[in-house]
Amino acid sequence: MTHIPPPAEELRLLDLELRQLDARRAQLLHRRAWLVTALHAAAMPTTAPAPVIPRHPEASAPRVQNVLLVLGGVLLTIAAMAFTLVSWGHLGITGRALVLGGITVAVLAAPVPLVKHGLRSTAESVAGLGLALTVLDAYALHEVALTDVDATGYVAAASAALAALWTAYALLPRTSTLRLPLPAALVTAQLPLTLWAVAADTGPYGITAAVLVTAGLDTGVTLRVPAKPVRITAMIGAYGMGAWGVCAAGWLSWTATGPSAAARAAALLLFAAGIALTAACQPVAEKQAAGLAVTAGLLTVAAAGGTARSVLPDAWTVPAYLVCGIALLAAVRVDRLPATVRLGLTRASLAVQGLALLWTLPLVGVMLLGPVAWAGEVWSGAPGDVRAAVTVSAPWPPHAEAVPVVLAVVAVVLVLAVRDAVWRPRALTGVLVLAWATALVLPSVLEVPYVAGLVALGLTSAGTLAAAARLRPSERAETEPAPQPAAAPAIGFPAPGPTATTLAVLTSLTLAFLSLTGEPATLAALSALTALFAAASWKPRLAPVTAPTALAYAAMLACATGAAADWHPQYTALLVLTVPVAAALLAARLGSSPTTIPVEVTGALAGLLALGLAAASADLPMLALVLALCGVITAGTAIRADRRPVAYASAALFVLATWVRLAAWDVGTPEAYTLPVTVPALLVGALRRRRDPQASSWTAYGPGLAATLLPSLVTAWGDPNWTRPLLLGLAALAITLLGARHHLQAPLVLGGTVLALDALHELAPYIVQVTDALPRWVPPALAGLLLLAIGATYEQRLRDARRMRDFLGNMH
C-alpha cells in the first residue's frame, strides 16, 4: 500500500524541496555570471594600456621667474660694463655724463612703478641693476676725472658714498619695500674703514683697529635693526670681521717685543672683548649670550696676559695667563651681569685653567714614564739629582720651572671657589690630583739630590695613602650622589678615596723604577714600599688594592735580594715562594672579602714567577722541589670549601714534580711516572665513592687506572722480556677480579681488556708457530666452522649478550 503522509508533513517536505531548488538556482546563476565575465575578458586585448601619469613640472613658476629676472639683470649689468669699458671713449664728456646719469636714474626709478603694479621680483632685479650701475659710475668717475687720486683711498671713499647712497635709496618711501638695497649697502660698508687705514699706512695696529670698529658697527646693526635680511647680513659681517680682527690682535699680542706694543695689542683685544660683552648683555642675543661671554673672557685674558708676558721671563708666561684667567672669577660676583653672561665668564676661566693644566702634562709624563728606562740599566750607577734620573731617556720640557706653581694655584682655586654641594666632592678629587702632581714634579724641578728625591717620592706615596685612609664615606660621595640642578652637567668623576689609592700606586711605581739605579736604593725602596702597602692594607677600604700591591713588591724584593746575594735563579725562586704562601694564608683569613681574589691572583702570579726562575736554570731537582712546594700551597688552598677545584691544580703540580724528579734520576720506567698519579687518584676516587655511592666507577677509578695500565700496556708490547708482561697481567687480573667482586664496571672492563691484550701479546709467538705448522686449508675451514656454529646458536648468543649487557649495566 502507498504511504500518504499527513498534510503537515507533506507541506514541510514541499518547502524543503523548494528551498533546495532555490539554492541550486542561485548557484547556477553565479556560475553563469562568471562564465560571461570570462568570455568578455577573452574577447578584450591581452595587454591593457599603461595608465597615463601626469608629469609634474621640474621647476615651479616662481622659481622660473626668479631665474629669468636674475639672468636678465646679470646680462644688463654685463652690457653696461661693456659699454663703460669699451664704448666710453667714443663720447664726449657731456655725452658720457648724460648717458650714464640718465641710465642710472632711469633704472633706479623703474622699481617704483613696478612695485606699484605688484611686480616685486622684477623691481628687485631692476634695483640690483641700478646698484651695479652706480658702481660703474664710480669707476667711470675715477677713470675720467680722478685718475691721479690714490686707488685705495678712492675705493674707500667710493664704497662709503655708495653705502650712504644705497641706504638713502632704501629708506625712500617708494622704495622702502625693496629688500636688496640695505643688505647691499651693509656689505659695501665693510670696506671703507679698513681701506682708509690701508691708504693712510697706519700699520697693522691701525688696520686691525679699523677691522674691529667695522665688526662693532655690524654688531650694533645686528642688535638694533629688526629686518631679517639686514640682521643676517650684519651678523655674518660681525662674525667675519670680528674673527679677522681678533686673530690679528692676538698675533700682535703674542709677537709683541715690548710693553708698548703689547699694550697696544691689549687695547685692541679689550675693544673686541667689550663688543662681545656688550652684545652678550643685550636681551636680543640671549641665545648667543653664553658663547659671547666666553669669547669676551678669553679675549680679556689674552689682553692682560699678553701685557704681563712682555715684562716677565718666558718661564712665567703660562702662570701670567693663568692668573688673568682666575681673575675672571671676580666678575661672577657682579650681580648686575645676567646669569648667562656670568656662566660664560666662568667657563672662560675654566678653559684658561684647563689649558694651563694641559701645559703641565709633559712634565708629569716625564716623571711617570722616564724612570721606566732604568729597567734596562739595572744597578748601573745613581745619577747626581732627580732630574738627571728621570730624563735618562726623555728630554726635559722647556720652561717647566713654573709647573708646580700652576698646579698649586689651580688647586687653591678649586678649594676656595667651588662651594656648590654637587661640585664640591668633585673639586676635592681635583685638588687631590693636583696636590699629588705638585709633590711628584717638585723634586725634579728643584733638582734635589737623588736620595732626597727618593725619600720625597716615598713620602708622597705615603701621604696619598694616608689621605685615602682618612677620607670618610660622606666625603667620598661614592654611593649617594647628590641631585644635580639643571644647569650642572652630569659628568662622572672618581671619588677621592679610590683616586688617592691609585695615585699612591703610581707614585710607588715611579719610586720602584727610579730606585733601580743602585743595589742599596733598590732594596731599601722595595722594603719600604712593601711595608707601606702592607700597613695600609689594615684599612678594609684600601685592602683590595694595597694588599696585592704589597705582595707584588714583596716578590720584587725577593728577586732583588737573591740578585744582591748572587744566588742562582732556582734558589731565588725558593725565596719568591714565600709570597704565594703569604697570599694563601691571607686569603684563608679574609674569607669572602673583596680583597681575597686580588690577593690570590697576585699569589698565583708570584708562583708562576718562581716556576719561571726555577725553569730558567736547568736544575731539575730544584725545579721539582719548587713544583712540589707549589703543589703544597695549592693543596692547602684547596682545603677551603669554596676553593675545592684548586685540588686539580695541586694534583697536576705534584705529578709534574714527581716526573721532573724521576727525569733528574734518569728513570726510564713509565710506572715510576704513572704510579704516583694512580695511587692518589684511586684514593681520591675511593673517598668520593664513600661520600657519593651513586658516583660512576668510570669517574672515580677510570682516570687513575688508565694512567698506569695504558702506558704499561704500550711498553709491554715492545718489551722482549717476560717480567713486565707478567706483572702487568697479574695486576690486570687483580683489577678484573676486584671489579667483578664489587660489581664495578670500570675496573672490570679496563682490567679485562688489558689482561686479554697482554695474554694475546704473550701467546702471539706460539700462535704464529701453530699457524705456520698447519696446512693452508685449515684456517679457512676453521673460520667456516666458526661461522656455522655462530649461526646455529645465534639466538642463544643474543640472549647471552643481553644478559652480559644487563650485568654490566647494573654495575657502577
Side-chain angles (χ1 to χ4, degrees):
M1 296 179 64
T2 303
H3 174 69
I4 299 175
E9 180 66 19
E10 185 176 1
L11 180 61
R12 187 185 65 79
L13 294 175
L14 290 176
D15 291 340
L16 179 60
E17 291 290 338
L18 289 174
R19 284 195 297 271
Q20 292 178 353
L21 290 174
D22 291 339
R24 179 61 178 168
R25 185 174 183 276
Q27 182 180 3
L28 294 175
L29 289 175
H30 180 71
R31 178 65 178 174
R32 181 180 180 280
W34 183 86
L35 292 173
V36 171
T37 304
L39 290 175
H40 281 293
M44 292 177 66
T46 55
T47 57
V52 179
I53 301 176
R55 294 183 178 180
H56 297 283
E58 296 182 357
S60 62
R63 183 174 298 178
V64 173
Q65 168 190 314
N66 294 334
V67 171
L68 294 177
L69 291 175
V70 171
L71 182 60
V74 170
L75 293 176
L76 288 176
T77 304
I78 293 174
M81 293 174 62
F83 169 77
T84 304
L85 298 175
V86 178
S87 300
W88 181 256
H90 299 288
L91 300 175
I93 186 169
T94 305
R96 299 170 187 176
L98 290 176
V99 170
L100 276 179
I103 293 175
T104 302
V105 172
V107 172
L108 291 176
V112 177
L114 292 174
V115 172
K116 185 177 180 180
H117 289 83
L119 302 175
R120 185 177 299 277
S121 298
T122 306
E124 295 284 355
S125 299
V126 175
L129 176 61
L131 299 181
L133 288 174
T134 57
V135 176
L136 294 177
D137 290 340
Y139 169 76
L141 180 62
H142 178 267
E143 292 297 322
V144 172
L146 302 174
T147 54
D148 296 334
V149 178
D150 178 62
T152 305
Y154 178 79
V155 172
S159 59
L162 289 176
L165 176 64
W166 293 352
T167 303
Y169 178 73
L171 296 178
L172 292 175
R174 299 298 180 87
T175 58
S176 59
T177 58
L178 297 176
R179 293 177 296 179
L180 181 61
L182 276 180
L186 191 58
V187 172
T188 308
Q190 308 299 312
L191 302 177
L193 291 178
T194 304
L195 293 179
W196 272 333
V198 174
D201 196 15
T202 58
Y205 291 94
I207 296 173
T208 304
V211 171
L212 290 176
V213 170
T214 304
L217 295 176
D218 290 334
T219 304
V221 174
T222 303
L223 297 174
R224 298 301 179 186
V225 177
K228 187 175 181 180
V230 180
R231 289 185 60 192
I232 293 176
T233 306
M235 186 180 298
I236 294 174
Y239 280 114
M241 299 298 285
W244 179 14
V246 165
C247 292
W251 177 253
L252 292 174
S253 176
W254 185 256
T255 57
T257 56
S260 177
R264 285 183 289 168
L268 295 175
L269 290 171
L270 289 175
F271 178 68
I275 295 174
L277 186 60
T278 303
C281 294
Q282 302 300 318
V284 181
E286 183 179 359
K287 294 182 179 179
Q288 296 83 15
L292 292 172
V294 171
T295 304
L298 294 178
L299 292 176
T300 304
V301 171
T307 305
R309 182 192 62 81
S310 62
V311 296
L312 292 174
D314 293 339
W316 295 97
T317 299
V318 175
Y321 281 100
L322 176 62
V323 171
C324 297
I326 294 172
L328 282 180
L329 295 176
V332 180
R333 306 292 181 181
V334 180
D335 296 333
R336 290 179 297 176
L337 293 176
T340 309
V341 174
R342 286 183 288 170
L343 177 61
L345 294 177
T346 303
R347 290 176 178 175
S349 178
L350 292 177
V352 174
Q353 296 178 53
L355 292 175
L357 292 179
L358 287 178
W359 176 74
T360 66
L361 289 182
L363 182 57
V364 176
V366 169
M367 285 298 303
L368 290 176
L369 302 178
V372 178
W374 287 104
E377 302 179 14
V378 179
W379 297 352
S380 59
D385 54 55
V386 178
R387 182 181 296 187
V390 299
T391 57
V392 64
S393 64
W396 181 256
H399 310 307
E401 293 78 7
V403 168
V405 177
V406 172
L407 294 171
V409 169
V410 176
V412 172
V413 171
L414 288 177
V415 172
L416 299 179
V418 181
R419 298 293 182 181
D420 185 73
V422 176
W423 290 96
R424 184 67 177 176
R426 302 169 182 177
L428 291 178
T429 302
V431 170
L432 178 64
V433 175
L434 293 174
W436 165 80
T438 305
L440 181 68
V441 303
L442 194 59
S444 61
V445 171
L446 298 178
E447 295 184 277
V448 300
Y450 172 73
V451 177
L454 294 183
V455 174
L457 288 175
L459 293 177
T460 301
S461 184
T464 49
L465 279 178
R470 292 178 64 85
L471 285 173
R472 297 179 181 178
S474 59
E475 296 177 352
R476 293 163 62 201
E478 294 178 350
T479 57
E480 297 182 0
Q484 297 182 359
I491 304 176
F493 284 84
T499 303
T501 309
T502 304
L503 297 178
V505 174
L506 290 177
T507 311
S508 67
L509 289 174
T510 302
L511 174 59
F513 281 110
L514 205 59
S515 67
L516 296 177
T517 58
E519 176 183 327
T522 302
L523 295 176
L526 293 179
S527 300
L529 290 176
T530 302
L532 175 64
F533 282 93
S537 301
W538 288 101
K539 289 289 184 179
R541 295 197 309 269
L542 308 182
V545 176
T546 57
T549 305
L551 292 174
Y553 283 128
M556 296 172 60
L557 178 61
C559 295
T561 303
D566 290 331
W567 289 358
H568 294 290
Q570 62 270 27
Y571 299 107
T572 304
L574 296 176
L575 187 59
V576 173
L577 282 180
T578 57
V579 176
V581 172
L585 295 175
L586 181 60
R589 181 180 179 84
L590 292 173
S592 59
S593 171
T595 312
T596 303
I597 293 180
V599 165
E600 290 178 338
V601 171
T602 308
L605 294 177
L608 291 177
L609 175 62
L611 290 176
L613 291 173
S617 61
D619 191 346
L620 294 181
M622 288 301 300
L623 177 59
L625 177 60
V626 172
L627 286 169
L629 293 176
C630 290
V632 171
I633 297 171
T634 52
T637 303
I639 296 176
R640 295 162 49 194
D642 56 341
R643 293 294 185 266
R644 297 299 188 201
V646 183
Y648 296 105
S650 177
L653 289 170
F654 280 126
V655 171
L656 289 175
T658 305
W659 288 356
V660 171
R661 193 58 180 167
L662 292 174
W665 288 339
D666 294 330
V667 176
T669 304
E671 289 79 9
Y673 296 89
T674 57
L675 285 176
V677 179
T678 296
V679 173
L682 293 178
L683 293 176
V684 172
L687 292 176
R688 181 173 182 181
R689 288 275 299 174
R690 178 175 297 179
R691 294 183 179 180
D692 184 12
Q694 300 299 324
S696 173
S697 62
W698 287 104
T699 304
Y701 304 117
L705 294 174
T708 295
L709 291 177
L710 298 182
S712 298
L713 179 63
V714 172
T715 307
W717 272 77
D719 192 351
N721 299 320
W722 59 271
T723 307
R724 184 188 303 276
L726 177 61
L727 295 176
L728 178 61
L730 294 175
L733 177 61
I735 292 171
T736 304
L737 294 177
L738 288 174
R741 170 69 178 80
H742 297 284
H743 299 278
L744 298 176
Q745 191 177 101
L748 181 63
V749 173
L750 288 175
T753 302
V754 172
L755 179 61
L757 293 176
D758 185 66
L760 180 61
H761 170 264
E762 293 301 311
L763 295 176
Y766 301 103
I767 295 175
V768 171
Q769 293 178 3
V770 171
T771 303
D772 293 338
L774 292 176
R776 297 286 181 91
W777 56 269
V778 173
L782 294 176
L785 291 175
L786 178 63
L787 292 176
L788 288 176
I790 292 175
T793 59
Y794 186 72
E795 184 176 2
Q796 181 65 30
R797 299 285 78 76
L798 286 178
R799 185 167 58 251
D800 295 341
R802 292 191 189 97
R803 292 176 179 175
M804 179 59 67
R805 183 193 62 188
D806 296 338
F807 174 74
L808 292 176
N810 293 328
M811 292 183 178
H812 295 286

